[in-house]
Amino acid sequence: MTELPNVHVRAEVLAQALPHMQRYDQEIVVIKYGGHAMGDRAAAEDFAEDIVLLEQSGLKPIVVHGGGPQIGKMLDRLGIQSEFRGGLRVTDEATVEVVEMVLAGSINKQIVGWISAEGGRAIGLCGKDGNMVRAKRAMKTVRDPGSETEQVVDLGLVGEPEHVERGVLDAVLKAELIPVLAPVAYGADGQTYNVNADTFAGAIAGALRAKRLLLLTDVPGVLDKDKKLIPELTVEDCRRLIADGTITGGMIPKIETCIYAIDQGVEAVVILNGKVNHAVLLELFTDYGAGTLIRRG
């Protein structure tokens, strides 16, 4: 008899999830799974459960994963010395081979395996497959601390998406498979490029006019100057917070990806902590947002 109240609570939770499931029925949701968020095995298995449940509930999830920490470990293991310019790693020919091996190989197939173990049907791809994502060389700017001027930095074979051919993904989703995408792309010159996973996910979400783009990271979301979570922002709010110094550092490119995706037709983007148990389900299937929601306004 003591189990009955718990059973009733679970049934109530499922009932409350129904309107959220209906809202996302047959909608595309792109989830970027960060390198640091992948570090814990139990959390990774929870993430895989979430993805399978989304697909079984009628959504069309697409996973884009990172892998920066894993790439760094493999470079160290192989004795490949990295060059840094403006604090950013330069991707040369030797490095991009390792990037492709780790991202499109071991990490990609590991995530596919986790999803398969939970009963899902996933397929691992990268931007080069089916000419899915064409990239161009990215030129980054960094502020010189001495002169306070912006300087252009050549990071080698680091790319940014130039075109997304959605036909491959449409075919995969039609076959009721879960695409797991590594952010490696090709250039018009046939060169392989390493693409930032956030940027890659934003390009995919924009090209497919996704209902949601979720950026899983290792922070709760966007924080104010008192380090408290900001639950919701408009695009205009984001620009203002960058201008006044509230949003700084690595959060700026994430916000720029959010703005780009929304400009391309994505309804909303969420930045959330991927280390929270079942963060994806909390965000999509409950009234309790798990991070910062960003809308057009």
Side-chain angles (χ1 to χ4, degrees):
M1 294 296 293
T2 56
E3 292 296 320
L4 284 178
N6 189 40
V7 171
H8 290 151
V9 168
R10 293 185 182 186
E12 182 64 25
V13 169
L14 289 172
Q16 290 176 2
L18 180 59
H20 299 282
M21 293 178 178
Q22 292 171 330
R23 178 192 307 165
Y24 292 108
D25 186 45
Q26 298 304 306
E27 296 283 0
I28 294 172
V29 176
V30 178
I31 302 116
K32 182 265 180 171
Y33 190 35
H36 289 286
M38 292 187 290
D40 181 79
R41 176 62 185 264
E45 291 172 349
D46 285 347
F47 173 79
E49 285 181 350
D50 288 3
I51 298 303
V52 174
L53 183 56
L54 294 186
E55 199 275 333
Q56 291 293 316
S57 301
L59 283 74
K60 299 178 180 179
I62 297 175
V63 177
V64 175
H65 63 82
Q70 294 87 338
I71 291 169
K73 289 179 182 178
M74 182 59 73
L75 289 171
D76 290 342
R77 187 184 304 175
L78 296 175
I80 298 175
Q81 297 294 321
S82 295
E83 178 187 355
F84 290 84
R85 296 175 188 162
L88 301 172
R89 189 196 303 272
V90 176
T91 302
D92 56 16
E93 291 281 357
T95 301
V96 82
E97 287 186 16
V98 175
V99 167
E100 187 168 15
M101 176 179 68
V102 173
L103 289 182
S106 59
I107 293 178
N108 187 270
K109 302 313 174 190
Q110 187 177 53
I111 296 172
V112 168
W114 285 332
I115 293 173
S116 298
E118 299 299 334
R121 297 172 62 234
I123 182 169
L125 301 167
C126 75
K128 295 168 71 174
D129 293 313
N131 294 341
M132 187 193 310
V133 180
R134 185 178 72 241
K136 61 181 180 180
R137 186 175 291 229
M139 301 303 290
K140 300 294 184 180
T141 59
V142 297
R143 182 176 293 277
D144 180 66
S147 63
E148 291 297 316
T149 59
E150 295 285 341
Q151 296 184 342
V152 177
V153 178
D154 183 0
L155 297 178
L157 300 177
V158 173
E160 58 185 29
E162 187 176 38
H163 175 72
V164 176
E165 173 53 59
R166 61 174 291 169
V168 174
L169 291 172
D170 285 336
V172 169
L173 294 174
K174 185 176 181 181
E176 298 184 350
L177 297 171
I178 300 169
V180 178
L181 308 181
V184 177
Y186 77 103
D189 54 0
Q191 180 64 61
T192 298
Y193 286 101
N194 175 22
V195 180
N196 175 274
D198 289 335
T199 306
F200 193 97
I204 295 293
L208 273 67
R209 304 293 191 271
K211 180 81 169 180
R212 282 285 189 277
L213 167 62
L214 306 185
L215 299 180
L216 273 62
T217 181
D218 54 0
V219 296
V222 181
L223 307 179
D224 63 19
K225 289 186 176 180
D226 295 324
K227 304 303 179 185
K228 294 181 180 178
L229 178 68
I230 303 173
E232 189 165 340
L233 291 168
T234 65
V235 168
E236 188 55 41
D237 290 334
C238 291
R239 294 193 173 111
R240 175 174 51 80
L241 293 177
I242 291 174
D244 71 13
T246 301
I247 296 174
T248 60
M251 186 58 71
I252 292 178
K254 288 185 185 297
I255 294 297
E256 290 173 342
T257 291
C258 297
I259 293 172
Y260 169 84
I262 291 169
D263 285 344
Q264 295 300 307
V266 176
E267 184 181 276
V269 185
V270 185
I271 299 174
L272 66 162
N273 190 345
K275 291 184 177 180
V276 174
N277 288 344
H278 299 294
V280 173
L281 294 186
L282 285 172
E283 176 58 40
L284 295 177
F285 285 171
T286 76
D287 294 329
Y288 304 98
T292 300
L293 177 73
I294 301 171
R295 299 179 183 273
R296 175 165 297 283

PDB file of all heavy atoms in Angstrom, residues 4-28:
ATOM      1  N   LEU A   4       1.500   3.021  -3.409  1.00  0.00           N
ATOM      2  CA  LEU A   4       0.465   3.649  -4.222  1.00  0.00           C
ATOM      3  C   LEU A   4       0.628   5.161  -4.381  1.00  0.00           C
ATOM      4  O   LEU A   4       0.508   5.667  -5.495  1.00  0.00           O
ATOM      5  CB  LEU A   4      -0.921   3.309  -3.639  1.00  0.00           C
ATOM      6  CG  LEU A   4      -1.429   1.887  -3.913  1.00  0.00           C
ATOM      7  CD1 LEU A   4      -2.783   1.675  -3.239  1.00  0.00           C
ATOM      8  CD2 LEU A   4      -1.519   1.636  -5.408  1.00  0.00           C
ATOM      9  N   PRO A   5       0.912   5.925  -3.319  1.00  0.00           N
ATOM     10  CA  PRO A   5       1.074   7.369  -3.506  1.00  0.00           C
ATOM     11  C   PRO A   5       2.164   7.705  -4.519  1.00  0.00           C
ATOM     12  O   PRO A   5       2.018   8.606  -5.338  1.00  0.00           O
ATOM     13  CB  PRO A   5       1.440   7.863  -2.094  1.00  0.00           C
ATOM     14  CG  PRO A   5       0.839   6.844  -1.182  1.00  0.00           C
ATOM     15  CD  PRO A   5       0.994   5.547  -1.902  1.00  0.00           C
ATOM     16  N   ASN A   6       3.268   6.955  -4.486  1.00  0.00           N
ATOM     17  CA  ASN A   6       4.357   7.185  -5.417  1.00  0.00           C
ATOM     18  C   ASN A   6       3.911   6.899  -6.851  1.00  0.00           C
ATOM     19  O   ASN A   6       4.248   7.625  -7.779  1.00  0.00           O
ATOM     20  CB  ASN A   6       5.559   6.317  -5.047  1.00  0.00           C
ATOM     21  CG  ASN A   6       6.802   6.669  -5.857  1.00  0.00           C
ATOM     22  OD1 ASN A   6       7.079   7.836  -6.099  1.00  0.00           O
ATOM     23  ND2 ASN A   6       7.525   5.653  -6.272  1.00  0.00           N
ATOM     24  N   VAL A   7       3.143   5.840  -7.032  1.00  0.00           N
ATOM     25  CA  VAL A   7       2.615   5.498  -8.354  1.00  0.00           C
ATOM     26  C   VAL A   7       1.700   6.614  -8.859  1.00  0.00           C
ATOM     27  O   VAL A   7       1.757   7.015 -10.031  1.00  0.00           O
ATOM     28  CB  VAL A   7       1.849   4.158  -8.299  1.00  0.00           C
ATOM     29  CG1 VAL A   7       1.123   3.925  -9.612  1.00  0.00           C
ATOM     30  CG2 VAL A   7       2.806   3.023  -8.016  1.00  0.00           C
ATOM     31  N   HIS A   8       0.872   7.157  -7.989  1.00  0.00           N
ATOM     32  CA  HIS A   8      -0.036   8.227  -8.387  1.00  0.00           C
ATOM     33  C   HIS A   8       0.734   9.489  -8.765  1.00  0.00           C
ATOM     34  O   HIS A   8       0.371  10.203  -9.702  1.00  0.00           O
ATOM     35  CB  HIS A   8      -1.028   8.530  -7.248  1.00  0.00           C
ATOM     36  CG  HIS A   8      -2.018   7.424  -7.030  1.00  0.00           C
ATOM     37  ND1 HIS A   8      -2.569   7.174  -5.809  1.00  0.00           N
ATOM     38  CD2 HIS A   8      -2.538   6.501  -7.886  1.00  0.00           C
ATOM     39  CE1 HIS A   8      -3.403   6.134  -5.913  1.00  0.00           C
ATOM     40  NE2 HIS A   8      -3.396   5.726  -7.167  1.00  0.00           N
ATOM     41  N   VAL A   9       1.791   9.766  -8.031  1.00  0.00           N
ATOM     42  CA  VAL A   9       2.623  10.932  -8.362  1.00  0.00           C
ATOM     43  C   VAL A   9       3.237  10.775  -9.740  1.00  0.00           C
ATOM     44  O   VAL A   9       3.253  11.703 -10.555  1.00  0.00           O
ATOM     45  CB  VAL A   9       3.728  11.116  -7.295  1.00  0.00           C
ATOM     46  CG1 VAL A   9       4.769  12.135  -7.770  1.00  0.00           C
ATOM     47  CG2 VAL A   9       3.126  11.579  -5.975  1.00  0.00           C
ATOM     48  N   ARG A  10       3.729   9.575 -10.030  1.00  0.00           N
ATOM     49  CA  ARG A  10       4.332   9.334 -11.347  1.00  0.00           C
ATOM     50  C   ARG A  10       3.290   9.491 -12.464  1.00  0.00           C
ATOM     51  O   ARG A  10       3.587  10.034 -13.525  1.00  0.00           O
ATOM     52  CB  ARG A  10       4.943   7.932 -11.393  1.00  0.00           C
ATOM     53  CG  ARG A  10       6.138   7.771 -10.474  1.00  0.00           C
ATOM     54  CD  ARG A  10       6.792   6.409 -10.629  1.00  0.00           C
ATOM     55  NE  ARG A  10       7.912   6.254  -9.720  1.00  0.00           N
ATOM     56  CZ  ARG A  10       8.731   5.201  -9.726  1.00  0.00           C
ATOM     57  NH1 ARG A  10       8.546   4.221 -10.590  1.00  0.00           N
ATOM     58  NH2 ARG A  10       9.731   5.135  -8.863  1.00  0.00           N
ATOM     59  N   ALA A  11       2.085   8.998 -12.207  1.00  0.00           N
ATOM     60  CA  ALA A  11       1.028   9.133 -13.210  1.00  0.00           C
ATOM     61  C   ALA A  11       0.686  10.605 -13.437  1.00  0.00           C
ATOM     62  O   ALA A  11       0.449  11.033 -14.582  1.00  0.00           O
ATOM     63  CB  ALA A  11      -0.214   8.367 -12.763  1.00  0.00           C
ATOM     64  N   GLU A  12       0.671  11.394 -12.370  1.00  0.00           N
ATOM     65  CA  GLU A  12       0.382  12.821 -12.485  1.00  0.00           C
ATOM     66  C   GLU A  12       1.465  13.540 -13.285  1.00  0.00           C
ATOM     67  O   GLU A  12       1.175  14.409 -14.112  1.00  0.00           O
ATOM     68  CB  GLU A  12       0.266  13.436 -11.085  1.00  0.00           C
ATOM     69  CG  GLU A  12      -0.094  14.920 -11.072  1.00  0.00           C
ATOM     70  CD  GLU A  12      -1.484  15.194 -11.645  1.00  0.00           C
ATOM     71  OE1 GLU A  12      -2.335  14.280 -11.608  1.00  0.00           O
ATOM     72  OE2 GLU A  12      -1.706  16.319 -12.126  1.00  0.00           O
ATOM     73  N   VAL A  13       2.711  13.159 -13.060  1.00  0.00           N
ATOM     74  CA  VAL A  13       3.824  13.749 -13.813  1.00  0.00           C
ATOM     75  C   VAL A  13       3.677  13.459 -15.311  1.00  0.00           C
ATOM     76  O   VAL A  13       3.853  14.338 -16.163  1.00  0.00           O
ATOM     77  CB  VAL A  13       5.172  13.212 -13.293  1.00  0.00           C
ATOM     78  CG1 VAL A  13       6.304  13.601 -14.233  1.00  0.00           C
ATOM     79  CG2 VAL A  13       5.448  13.736 -11.894  1.00  0.00           C
ATOM     80  N   LEU A  14       3.315  12.205 -15.634  1.00  0.00           N
ATOM     81  CA  LEU A  14       3.120  11.846 -17.038  1.00  0.00           C
ATOM     82  C   LEU A  14       1.972  12.641 -17.655  1.00  0.00           C
ATOM     83  O   LEU A  14       2.064  13.103 -18.798  1.00  0.00           O
ATOM     84  CB  LEU A  14       2.848  10.346 -17.162  1.00  0.00           C
ATOM     85  CG  LEU A  14       4.035   9.415 -16.882  1.00  0.00           C
ATOM     86  CD1 LEU A  14       3.573   7.964 -16.855  1.00  0.00           C
ATOM     87  CD2 LEU A  14       5.127   9.599 -17.925  1.00  0.00           C
ATOM     88  N   ALA A  15       0.898  12.801 -16.910  1.00  0.00           N
ATOM     89  CA  ALA A  15      -0.251  13.557 -17.417  1.00  0.00           C
ATOM     90  C   ALA A  15       0.123  15.011 -17.680  1.00  0.00           C
ATOM     91  O   ALA A  15      -0.305  15.611 -18.671  1.00  0.00           O
ATOM     92  CB  ALA A  15      -1.410  13.471 -16.428  1.00  0.00           C
ATOM     93  N   GLN A  16       0.926  15.594 -16.784  1.00  0.00           N
ATOM     94  CA  GLN A  16       1.340  16.980 -16.969  1.00  0.00           C
ATOM     95  C   GLN A  16       2.258  17.153 -18.174  1.00  0.00           C
ATOM     96  O   GLN A  16       2.356  18.230 -18.750  1.00  0.00           O
ATOM     97  CB  GLN A  16       2.044  17.475 -15.697  1.00  0.00           C
ATOM     98  CG  GLN A  16       1.102  17.644 -14.513  1.00  0.00           C
ATOM     99  CD  GLN A  16       1.835  18.047 -13.246  1.00  0.00           C
ATOM    100  OE1 GLN A  16       3.047  18.242 -13.242  1.00  0.00           O
ATOM    101  NE2 GLN A  16       1.093  18.179 -12.159  1.00  0.00           N
ATOM    102  N   ALA A  17       2.945  16.064 -18.570  1.00  0.00           N
ATOM    103  CA  ALA A  17       3.848  16.137 -19.724  1.00  0.00           C
ATOM    104  C   ALA A  17       3.086  16.140 -21.051  1.00  0.00           C
ATOM    105  O   ALA A  17       3.638  16.557 -22.074  1.00  0.00           O
ATOM    106  CB  ALA A  17       4.820  14.959 -19.694  1.00  0.00           C
ATOM    107  N   LEU A  18       1.825  15.693 -21.046  1.00  0.00           N
ATOM    108  CA  LEU A  18       1.067  15.532 -22.289  1.00  0.00           C
ATOM    109  C   LEU A  18       0.998  16.796 -23.144  1.00  0.00           C
ATOM    110  O   LEU A  18       1.286  16.747 -24.342  1.00  0.00           O
ATOM    111  CB  LEU A  18      -0.339  15.003 -21.982  1.00  0.00           C
ATOM    112  CG  LEU A  18      -1.238  14.788 -23.198  1.00  0.00           C
ATOM    113  CD1 LEU A  18      -0.610  13.789 -24.166  1.00  0.00           C
ATOM    114  CD2 LEU A  18      -2.621  14.315 -22.758  1.00  0.00           C
ATOM    115  N   PRO A  19       0.602  17.967 -22.592  1.00  0.00           N
ATOM    116  CA  PRO A  19       0.536  19.151 -23.462  1.00  0.00           C
ATOM    117  C   PRO A  19       1.886  19.538 -24.064  1.00  0.00           C
ATOM    118  O   PRO A  19       1.939  20.058 -25.178  1.00  0.00           O
ATOM    119  CB  PRO A  19       0.007  20.246 -22.529  1.00  0.00           C
ATOM    120  CG  PRO A  19       0.240  19.754 -21.147  1.00  0.00           C
ATOM    121  CD  PRO A  19       0.151  18.271 -21.229  1.00  0.00           C
ATOM    122  N   HIS A  20       2.956  19.254 -23.340  1.00  0.00           N
ATOM    123  CA  HIS A  20       4.284  19.550 -23.873  1.00  0.00           C
ATOM    124  C   HIS A  20       4.605  18.607 -25.031  1.00  0.00           C
ATOM    125  O   HIS A  20       5.163  19.028 -26.059  1.00  0.00           O
ATOM    126  CB  HIS A  20       5.338  19.411 -22.768  1.00  0.00           C
ATOM    127  CG  HIS A  20       5.125  20.349 -21.614  1.00  0.00           C
ATOM    128  ND1 HIS A  20       5.462  21.686 -21.672  1.00  0.00           N
ATOM    129  CD2 HIS A  20       4.583  20.142 -20.383  1.00  0.00           C
ATOM    130  CE1 HIS A  20       5.158  22.255 -20.515  1.00  0.00           C
ATOM    131  NE2 HIS A  20       4.612  21.346 -19.717  1.00  0.00           N
ATOM    132  N   MET A  21       4.252  17.341 -24.883  1.00  0.00           N
ATOM    133  CA  MET A  21       4.461  16.381 -25.967  1.00  0.00           C
ATOM    134  C   MET A  21       3.668  16.780 -27.206  1.00  0.00           C
ATOM    135  O   MET A  21       4.162  16.690 -28.339  1.00  0.00           O
ATOM    136  CB  MET A  21       4.052  14.974 -25.514  1.00  0.00           C
ATOM    137  CG  MET A  21       4.924  14.382 -24.432  1.00  0.00           C
ATOM    138  SD  MET A  21       4.327  12.743 -23.925  1.00  0.00           S
ATOM    139  CE  MET A  21       5.554  12.282 -22.710  1.00  0.00           C
ATOM    140  N   GLN A  22       2.435  17.236 -26.996  1.00  0.00           N
ATOM    141  CA  GLN A  22       1.601  17.651 -28.128  1.00  0.00           C
ATOM    142  C   GLN A  22       2.198  18.873 -28.823  1.00  0.00           C
ATOM    143  O   GLN A  22       2.139  18.991 -30.044  1.00  0.00           O
ATOM    144  CB  GLN A  22       0.181  17.935 -27.640  1.00  0.00           C
ATOM    145  CG  GLN A  22      -0.551  16.691 -27.173  1.00  0.00           C
ATOM    146  CD  GLN A  22      -1.869  17.003 -26.481  1.00  0.00           C
ATOM    147  OE1 GLN A  22      -2.027  18.059 -25.853  1.00  0.00           O
ATOM    148  NE2 GLN A  22      -2.831  16.082 -26.583  1.00  0.00           N
ATOM    149  N   ARG A  23       2.787  19.781 -28.054  1.00  0.00           N
ATOM    150  CA  ARG A  23       3.383  20.992 -28.623  1.00  0.00           C
ATOM    151  C   ARG A  23       4.534  20.651 -29.566  1.00  0.00           C
ATOM    152  O   ARG A  23       4.730  21.306 -30.577  1.00  0.00           O
ATOM    153  CB  ARG A  23       3.894  21.890 -27.501  1.00  0.00           C
ATOM    154  CG  ARG A  23       4.583  23.168 -27.994  1.00  0.00           C
ATOM    155  CD  ARG A  23       5.317  23.879 -26.871  1.00  0.00           C
ATOM    156  NE  ARG A  23       4.446  24.127 -25.726  1.00  0.00           N
ATOM    157  CZ  ARG A  23       4.886  24.456 -24.522  1.00  0.00           C
ATOM    158  NH1 ARG A  23       6.190  24.511 -24.291  1.00  0.00           N
ATOM    159  NH2 ARG A  23       4.044  24.693 -23.552  1.00  0.00           N
ATOM    160  N   TYR A  24       5.282  19.601 -29.217  1.00  0.00           N
ATOM    161  CA  TYR A  24       6.472  19.257 -30.007  1.00  0.00           C
ATOM    162  C   TYR A  24       6.249  18.084 -30.960  1.00  0.00           C
ATOM    163  O   TYR A  24       7.190  17.631 -31.606  1.00  0.00           O
ATOM    164  CB  TYR A  24       7.634  18.921 -29.071  1.00  0.00           C
ATOM    165  CG  TYR A  24       8.142  20.108 -28.291  1.00  0.00           C
ATOM    166  CD1 TYR A  24       7.895  20.218 -26.925  1.00  0.00           C
ATOM    167  CD2 TYR A  24       8.864  21.115 -28.910  1.00  0.00           C
ATOM    168  CE1 TYR A  24       8.353  21.302 -26.199  1.00  0.00           C
ATOM    169  CE2 TYR A  24       9.329  22.208 -28.204  1.00  0.00           C
ATOM    170  CZ  TYR A  24       9.070  22.298 -26.847  1.00  0.00           C
ATOM    171  OH  TYR A  24       9.520  23.389 -26.138  1.00  0.00           O
ATOM    172  N   ASP A  25       5.018  17.592 -31.062  1.00  0.00           N
ATOM    173  CA  ASP A  25       4.751  16.420 -31.910  1.00  0.00           C
ATOM    174  C   ASP A  25       5.202  16.667 -33.341  1.00  0.00           C
ATOM    175  O   ASP A  25       4.816  17.653 -33.978  1.00  0.00           O
ATOM    176  CB  ASP A  25       3.250  16.097 -31.879  1.00  0.00           C
ATOM    177  CG  ASP A  25       2.942  14.820 -32.625  1.00  0.00           C
ATOM    178  OD1 ASP A  25       3.673  13.828 -32.445  1.00  0.00           O
ATOM    179  OD2 ASP A  25       1.973  14.819 -33.411  1.00  0.00           O
ATOM    180  N   GLN A  26       6.056  15.785 -33.835  1.00  0.00           N
ATOM    181  CA  GLN A  26       6.600  15.820 -35.206  1.00  0.00           C
ATOM    182  C   GLN A  26       7.477  17.054 -35.469  1.00  0.00           C
ATOM    183  O   GLN A  26       7.758  17.376 -36.623  1.00  0.00           O
ATOM    184  CB  GLN A  26       5.469  15.743 -36.241  1.00  0.00           C
ATOM    185  CG  GLN A  26       4.660  14.457 -36.189  1.00  0.00           C
ATOM    186  CD  GLN A  26       5.520  13.214 -36.340  1.00  0.00           C
ATOM    187  OE1 GLN A  26       6.274  13.086 -37.309  1.00  0.00           O
ATOM    188  NE2 GLN A  26       5.447  12.296 -35.371  1.00  0.00           N
ATOM    189  N   GLU A  27       7.892  17.715 -34.407  1.00  0.00           N
ATOM    190  CA  GLU A  27       8.771  18.873 -34.554  1.00  0.00           C
ATOM    191  C   GLU A  27      10.237  18.458 -34.397  1.00  0.00           C
ATOM    192  O   GLU A  27      10.559  17.530 -33.651  1.00  0.00           O
ATOM    193  CB  GLU A  27       8.442  19.941 -33.501  1.00  0.00           C
ATOM    194  CG  GLU A  27       7.048  20.541 -33.623  1.00  0.00           C
ATOM    195  CD  GLU A  27       6.934  21.553 -34.755  1.00  0.00           C
ATOM    196  OE1 GLU A  27       7.937  21.806 -35.451  1.00  0.00           O
ATOM    197  OE2 GLU A  27       5.827  22.099 -34.925  1.00  0.00           O
ATOM    198  N   ILE A  28      11.119  19.176 -35.090  1.00  0.00           N
ATOM    199  CA  ILE A  28      12.555  18.913 -35.009  1.00  0.00           C
ATOM    200  C   ILE A  28      13.142  19.676 -33.822  1.00  0.00           C
ATOM    201  O   ILE A  28      12.889  20.864 -33.652  1.00  0.00           O
ATOM    202  CB  ILE A  28      13.268  19.325 -36.309  1.00  0.00           C
ATOM    203  CG1 ILE A  28      12.806  18.430 -37.466  1.00  0.00           C
ATOM    204  CG2 ILE A  28      14.789  19.253 -36.152  1.00  0.00           C
ATOM    205  CD1 ILE A  28      13.316  18.879 -38.825  1.00  0.00           C
TER     206      ILE A  28
END
